[in-house]
């Protein structure tokens, strides 16, 4: 068993929910742009080092209000159990749909490196949607993009919402920034070492792990939303991450018994959102 199988569980989860014929990368990009445009959001690439990142946001923000930034999951990482995809642009950009479903407040969306942009050119390569999906350079590029979105919104504080693998990146970003008022994870991969051990696949050795940043994260307000029917990111793994945080901490987890890795987060997001926000503690 090789590291390549570390993405198999997520890849199969995406494929099983997708059409028999996977849409082309261009069609996936168009679908995301159309979804955003239907809510009067516009796309813009953000320059980072070394990656450019695709963002979507509305034309206007309420200046001074916190900005909630949604970070996408791992996307279409694997075409088969042995073959990584050529382009990780999501088939179903669930984090984008969550962002668009937020009922109030400032919101924006960030795709991951090589999603939507530049998958076929350097520095992108398949390692950045497989074993190096949470590498230091990935986090650095997202960090730069967050600062650009924050400046554009005129915000002083950020709320980071990470879906699936995007949750790991939200936590890694919160551990290095001083302006993150809260992290909310949705079906999140909070400890990829525990996740690969659970699925009996080899570790993502080229990736940073939020579990290694427990001390820095203990003071960050966190809400971790877990699906009781989620076989991709089992709820027990998320609960274990919260239990491992040093005491005292500002984190909690909640299990939604009938939710899985995809259902029913977007459908319930307008009802969930009002009770997710908590007072900043930093």
């Amino acid at each position: 068993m090789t590291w390549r199988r570390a993405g198999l569980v997520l890849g199969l989860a995406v494929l099983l929910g997708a059409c028999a014929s996977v849409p082309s990368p261009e069609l996936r990009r168009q679908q995301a742009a159309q979804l955003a445009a239907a809510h009067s959001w516009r796309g813009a690439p953000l320059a980072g080092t070394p990656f450019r990142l695709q963002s979507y946001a509305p034309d206007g923000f309420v200046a001074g209000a916190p900005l909630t930034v949604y970070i996408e999951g791992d996307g279409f990482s694997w075409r088969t159990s042995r073959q990584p995809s050529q382009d990780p642009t999501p088939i179903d950009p669930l984090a984008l749909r969550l962002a668009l479903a937020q009922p109030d407040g400032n919101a924006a969306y960030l795709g991951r490196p090589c999603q939507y942009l530049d998958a076929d050119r350097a520095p992108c390569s398949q390692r950045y949607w497989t074993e190096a999906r949470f590498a230091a350079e990935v986090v650095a590029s997202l960090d730069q993009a967050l600062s650009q979105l924050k400046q554009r919104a005129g915000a002083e504080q950020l709320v980071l919402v990470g879906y699936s693998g995007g949750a790991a990146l939200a936590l890694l970003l919160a551990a290095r920034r001083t302006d993150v008022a809260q992290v909310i994870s949705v079906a999140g991969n909070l400890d990829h070492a525990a996740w690969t051990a659970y699925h009996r696949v080899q570790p993502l050795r080229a990736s940073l792990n939020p579990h290694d940043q427990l001390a820095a994260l203990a003071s960050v307000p966190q809400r971790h939303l877990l699906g009781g029917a989620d076989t991709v990111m089992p709820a027990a793994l998320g609960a274990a991450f919260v239990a491992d945080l040093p005491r005292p901490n500002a984190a909690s987890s909640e299990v939604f018994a009938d939710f899985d890795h995809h259902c029913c987060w977007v459908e319930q997001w307008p009802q969930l959102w009002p009770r997710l926000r908590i007072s900043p503690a930093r």
Side-chain angles (χ1 to χ4, degrees):
M1 188 176 295
T2 69
W3 65 262
R4 292 177 180 274
R5 293 207 48 208
L8 173 58
V9 176
L10 283 179
L12 288 179
V14 172
L15 285 173
L16 289 173
C19 300
S21 177
V22 176
S24 69
E26 179 59 30
L27 182 56
R28 283 177 262 155
R29 289 189 285 270
Q30 291 177 5
Q31 290 172 337
Q34 291 168 1
L35 179 63
H39 292 78
S40 300
W41 283 32
R42 296 187 184 185
L46 300 177
T49 303
F51 300 104
R52 294 195 307 157
L53 295 168
Q54 181 65 40
S55 70
Y56 287 101
D59 287 332
F61 296 98
V62 177
L67 174 65
T68 301
V69 180
Y70 291 73
I71 302 174
E72 190 55 78
D74 293 341
F76 182 51
S77 300
W78 293 82
R79 177 169 287 277
T80 71
S81 63
R82 296 179 178 273
Q83 180 186 7
S85 73
Q86 296 299 311
D87 188 311
T89 298
I91 295 173
D92 175 17
L94 194 141
L96 176 58
R97 295 198 289 124
L98 285 173
L100 296 171
Q102 182 176 306
D104 55 60
N106 291 337
Y109 166 84
L110 265 180
R112 300 266 292 278
C114 312
Q115 295 178 353
Y116 308 102
L117 299 168
D118 306 330
D120 59 348
R121 66 187 68 177
C124 285
S125 67
Q126 290 176 336
R127 71 187 301 267
Y128 287 115
W129 52 92
T130 53
E131 85 270 23
R133 67 190 73 176
F134 311 134
E137 55 268 39
V138 169
V139 178
S141 292
L142 284 162
D143 192 28
Q144 296 165 52
L146 282 180
S147 293
Q148 294 173 57
L149 286 172
K150 179 186 172 185
Q151 182 178 22
R152 177 181 167 188
E156 295 184 0
Q157 291 186 315
L158 298 170
V159 174
L160 303 182
V161 179
Y163 167 66
S164 191
L169 291 164
L171 288 169
L172 291 167
L173 289 160
R176 65 187 280 163
R177 298 181 68 103
T178 60
D179 56 358
V180 177
Q182 183 181 2
V183 172
I184 301 170
S185 75
V186 178
N189 189 346
L190 311 180
D191 178 357
H192 65 70
W195 176 69
T196 54
Y198 176 87
H199 287 294
R200 299 183 179 181
V201 294
Q202 291 196 6
L204 306 181
R205 293 190 177 92
S207 290
L208 302 177
N209 191 0
H211 196 270
D212 296 330
Q213 301 289 328
L214 291 178
L217 290 168
S219 62
V220 179
Q222 302 166 49
R223 296 290 299 274
H224 299 297
L225 311 184
L226 310 165
D230 191 345
T231 58
V232 177
M233 298 293 177
L237 298 184
F241 175 85
V242 173
D244 286 346
L245 284 164
R247 299 289 190 256
N249 63 60
S252 64
S253 63
E254 183 174 359
V255 178
F256 296 81
D258 296 330
F259 288 33
D260 60 25
H261 202 61
H262 297 92
C263 178
C264 305
W265 303 109
V266 173
E267 295 83 355
Q268 295 299 316
W269 200 245
Q271 290 73 44
L272 291 173
W273 177 252
R275 65 183 183 84
L276 292 177
R277 293 292 306 278
I278 56 179
S279 299
R282 300 185 77 185

